[in-house]
């Protein structure tokens, strides 16, 4: 495998699954000897996180007029870095970086990474971005890949699905359960329903709080743990207070010790209503040996096998969510079997090393298309 110089670009200032993947992928490929760096948003969390992991990262003004006027300046920066591949992640940086790559003297390959399942515009300009300015497209789920082929008419041979994957051993932490429960004031015999995600409108936290009222009456010792931070934080906290749910709902905010918190849960719930690739949090929960109750979005259904590793319900269907949770709450043996099946599936299909193998292949293929095969 040739050594590649890979430049990731990101214009999103948030911190969620997309940004986490960039950092994890960069760490993994740097460990394999590739020169990987990031050009990220000024003031964005991903810049600080990348630097903390010794990933070279520089800030860029992507948005507004400054972003568009920086195309030629970015082209000069790319010439100084001489990348084999530029990997773009969000809309604005995809346009600016792809155009800069095409006017630069170094002429790096461009890979468009598509993380979300929201429909991509079928307009001509967007088609040009994905199939003209970009050499290859990588999606984070097979469902997103199919949509780009069937709905947008993009050539199948130019699109590869590479879901985000996890280190299974990092999330298998049963010894941490007692300490994690103690830290949250949860008793040993409580039934813990938990979720991990950025607190965004489509992540389904309202659906989970709706379900809390019915579940509290039916499940003795119910506790609900919501891990994460985001734009919906204050509204959700207010709702917990106003509806008298504080005794059973714990909102931890952003936490770095996700593996330990997962060990404290009995069932993992992921009630998202849209926009998902293959969620990292679901894979982490499965690696932790948890059965999963999740909405049946196509990308989620790729990993949560109905009746085998978890239970699925129609997106937005609160009564169905309650029914699935109650089914698992009443059957400890089923929870154990599903949790073990999930752990095996992550180990066999979603290991981090397999993701890095495939990314190396794709980036090398894209670089060779442009005569930038590395060294």
């Amino acid at each position: 495998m040739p050594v590649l110089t890979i430049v990731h670009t990101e214009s999103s200032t948030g911190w969620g699954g997309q940004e986490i993947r960039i950092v994890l992928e960069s760490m993994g490929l740097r460990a394999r000897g590739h020169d990987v760096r990031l050009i990220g948003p000024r003031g964005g969390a991903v810049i600080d996180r990348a630097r903390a992991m010794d990933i070279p990262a520089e800030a860029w003004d992507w948005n507004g007029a400054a972003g568009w006027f920086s195309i030629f300046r970015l082209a000069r920066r790319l010439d100084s870095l001489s990348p084999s591949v530029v990997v773009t992640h969000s809309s604005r940086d995809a346009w600016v970086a792809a155009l800069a790559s095409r006017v630069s003297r170094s002429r790096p390959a461009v890979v468009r990474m598509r993380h979300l399942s929201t429909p991509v515009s079928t307009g001509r300009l967007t088609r040009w971005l994905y199939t003209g300015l970009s050499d290859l497209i990588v999606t984070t789920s097979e469902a997103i890949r199919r949509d780009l082929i069937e709905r947008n008419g993009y050539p199948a041979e130019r699109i590869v699905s590479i879901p985000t994957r996890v280190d299974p051993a990092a999330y298998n932490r049963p010894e941490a359960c007692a300490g994690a429960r103690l830290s949250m004031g949860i008793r040993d015999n409580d039934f813990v329903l938990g979720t991990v995600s950025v607190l965004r409108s489509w992540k389904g936290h309202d659906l989970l709080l709706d379900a809390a009222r019915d579940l509290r009456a039916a499940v003795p010792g119910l506790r609900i743990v919501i891990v994460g931070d985001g734009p919906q934080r204050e509204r959700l906290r207010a709702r917990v207070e106003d509806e008298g749910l504080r005794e059973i709902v714990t909102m931890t905010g952003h936490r770095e010790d996700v593996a330990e918190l997962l060990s404290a849960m009995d069932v993992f719930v992921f009630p998202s209503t849209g926009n998902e690739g293959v969620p990292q949090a679901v894979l982490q929960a499965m690696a932790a040996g948890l059965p999963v109750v999740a909405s049946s979005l196509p990308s989620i259904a790729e990993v949560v096998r109905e009746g085998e590793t978890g239970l699925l319900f129609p997106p937005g269907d609160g009564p169905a969510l309650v029914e699935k949770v109650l089914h698992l709450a009443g059957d400890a043996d089923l929870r154990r079997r599903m949790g073990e099946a999930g752990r095996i599936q992550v180990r066999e299909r979603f290991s981090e090393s397999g993701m890095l193998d495939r990314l190396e292949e794709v980036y090398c293929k894209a670089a060779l298309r442009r005569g930038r095969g590395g060294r």
Side-chain angles (χ1 to χ4, degrees), residues 195-265:
T195 189
V196 180
S197 73
V198 177
L199 305 184
R200 294 186 172 123
S201 60
W202 64 84
K203 291 295 186 177
H205 296 97
D206 282 301
L207 198 70
L208 180 57
L209 294 181
D210 289 343
R213 294 192 295 267
D214 294 327
L215 291 171
R216 176 165 54 179
V219 180
L222 174 71
R223 294 294 298 270
I224 295 174
V225 174
I226 298 174
V227 181
D229 201 350
Q232 298 292 311
R233 176 187 58 196
E234 295 307 319
R235 188 187 64 79
L236 291 171
R237 284 190 185 279
R239 187 176 169 191
V240 169
E241 290 290 335
D242 293 345
E243 298 182 17
L245 296 173
R246 187 170 59 175
E247 290 184 2
I248 65 167
V249 176
T250 299
M251 296 182 64
T252 70
H254 175 77
R255 296 284 290 264
E256 295 292 335
D257 57 342
V258 170
E260 287 81 358
L261 296 180
L262 288 171
S263 74
M265 300 175 189

Side-chain angles (χ1 to χ4, degrees), residues 22-329:
I22 294 171
V23 172
L24 293 178
E25 175 188 320
S26 298
M27 290 171 56
L29 291 180
R30 282 176 63 82
R32 294 187 175 201
H34 301 288
D35 179 5
V36 187
R37 57 188 62 234
L38 167 69
I39 301 178
R42 191 173 304 281
V46 70
I47 292 282
D48 293 334
R49 298 302 182 103
R51 289 171 177 167
M53 298 299 171
D54 295 323
I55 300 165
E58 57 190 275
W60 202 265
D61 293 315
W62 295 107
N63 296 315
W68 292 116
F69 283 116
S70 72
I71 290 172
F72 289 99
R73 183 163 58 90
L74 181 58
R76 292 192 296 272
R77 181 62 181 134
L78 293 177
D79 285 337
S80 68
L81 296 173
S82 192
S84 316
V85 184
V86 172
V87 186
T88 69
H89 293 272
S90 292
S91 179
R92 180 55 67 93
D93 70 273
W95 276 107
V96 174
L99 289 168
S101 298
R102 293 297 166 251
V103 301
S104 70
R105 294 191 305 275
S106 55
R107 302 285 290 178
V110 176
V111 173
R112 175 63 164 107
M113 187 81 72
R114 181 65 183 175
H115 296 263
L116 302 179
S117 61
T118 47
V120 172
S121 168
T122 56
R124 291 182 179 180
L125 275 178
T126 303
R127 184 182 184 89
W128 181 48
L129 171 64
Y130 276 80
T131 64
L133 295 176
S134 305
D135 295 281
L136 293 172
I137 304 166
V138 173
T139 65
T140 58
S141 77
E142 184 59 32
I144 299 174
R145 179 179 183 270
R146 286 197 307 269
D147 197 53
L148 291 177
I149 295 168
E150 297 169 3
R151 181 178 177 276
N152 293 80
Y154 296 168
E157 66 275 10
R158 299 271 296 278
I159 313 173
V160 180
S161 168
I162 307 179
T164 303
R165 305 184 186 187
V166 300
D167 176 5
Y171 294 93
N172 186 15
R173 298 289 308 281
E175 79 286 352
C177 176
R181 287 195 168 208
L182 181 63
S183 71
M184 293 184 286
I186 296 173
R187 297 169 301 186
D188 291 343
N189 61 342
D190 284 343
F191 182 83
V192 181
L193 183 65
T195 189
V196 180
S197 73
V198 177
L199 305 184
R200 294 186 172 123
S201 60
W202 64 84
K203 291 295 186 177
H205 296 97
D206 282 301
L207 198 70
L208 180 57
L209 294 181
D210 289 343
R213 294 192 295 267
D214 294 327
L215 291 171
R216 176 165 54 179
V219 180
L222 174 71
R223 294 294 298 270
I224 295 174
V225 174
I226 298 174
V227 181
D229 201 350
Q232 298 292 311
R233 176 187 58 196
E234 295 307 319
R235 188 187 64 79
L236 291 171
R237 284 190 185 279
R239 187 176 169 191
V240 169
E241 290 290 335
D242 293 345
E243 298 182 17
L245 296 173
R246 187 170 59 175
E247 290 184 2
I248 65 167
V249 176
T250 299
M251 296 182 64
T252 70
H254 175 77
R255 296 284 290 264
E256 295 292 335
D257 57 342
V258 170
E260 287 81 358
L261 296 180
L262 288 171
S263 74
M265 300 175 189
D266 294 291
V267 172
F268 186 82
V269 61
F270 200 79
S272 181
T273 58
N275 303 332
E276 299 292 343
V278 172
Q280 294 177 50
V282 170
L283 294 176
Q284 292 166 358
M286 292 168 65
L290 292 174
V292 177
V293 173
S295 54
S296 57
L297 295 171
S299 295
I300 295 175
E302 288 180 26
V303 294
V304 181
R305 295 175 174 172
E306 173 66 24
E308 182 181 342
T309 63
L311 299 173
L312 298 170
F313 64 92
D317 190 336
L321 167 60
V322 171
E323 176 188 346
K324 302 296 184 180
V325 171
L326 290 178
H327 184 58
L328 284 175

Side-chain angles (χ1 to χ4, degrees), residues 335-352:
R335 297 198 302 270
R336 182 193 58 76
R337 293 198 309 270
M338 285 185 170
E340 185 58 29
R343 183 181 285 123
I344 291 170
Q345 181 177 239
V346 169
R347 185 172 64 241
E348 293 180 348
R349 294 182 54 210
F350 295 99
S351 70
E352 188 177 27

